[in-house]
Amino acid sequence: MSGLRFRQSPRQLARADFVAGFGRVYEHSPWIAERAFASKPVAGFASRAAVHAALVATVQSASAAEKLALLNAHPELAGKEAAAGTLTSESTREQAAAGLSAMTAEDVTQLRELNARYREKFGFPFIIAARNNTQGAIFGAIKSRLLNTRDMEFNNNLMQVGEIARLRLLDIITE
Ligand code: GUN
């Protein structure tokens, strides 16, 4: 599914196609595509940007508990799932793009410690759109974001999740 590209315009997508196509745009959270489809305009989604806007709006109008579950559906960067090979294909690609699958053992240990401190302080994992960042930028971001409040990080994480979704949509809708 990760390699799927729509030849059809998003305008013509039926519900099942929409959910099959975009259900993986949010990590382990197909409910977002399911719910977003209900907001489809009568004339259909006109563009990739319109699909993304509908998905982001669905997340924004979700409950705080649902947003927290969405954040918690994300794996840690260079975490246990990465080591065990149990990441989604999308996530594997994102972590590799940032060079995280080729780190030294010391860097892995340091990133895991930072991830653990972050999760302990805020109660959810550190999320950054890995594909937009180098390894150095990710280390810098987690260190500075550890100084923020929980509210700031809840919002920062949701913004990053929206960016991850935008990048995944670029892979699956050609315009
Ligand atoms: N956790 C932190 N960053 C990312 C990311 O870019 N992708 C995924 N799937 N999980 C993450």
Side-chain angles (χ1 to χ4, degrees), residues 27 71 73-78 87-88 90-92 94-95 100 115 125-132 138 157 160-161 164 167-168:
E27 189 80 6
L71 300 183
H74 285 72
E76 283 177 6
L77 296 175
L87 290 171
T88 61
E90 291 86 350
S91 209
T92 302
E94 288 156 6
Q95 301 214 22
L100 301 182
N115 274 328
F126 169 71
I127 302 174
I128 189 165
R131 273 158 84 178
N132 285 345
I138 289 170
N157 263 353
Q160 293 296 324
V161 165
I164 292 169
L167 295 171
R168 290 185 181 183

Side-chain angles (χ1 to χ4, degrees), residues 16 20 59 130:
V59 172

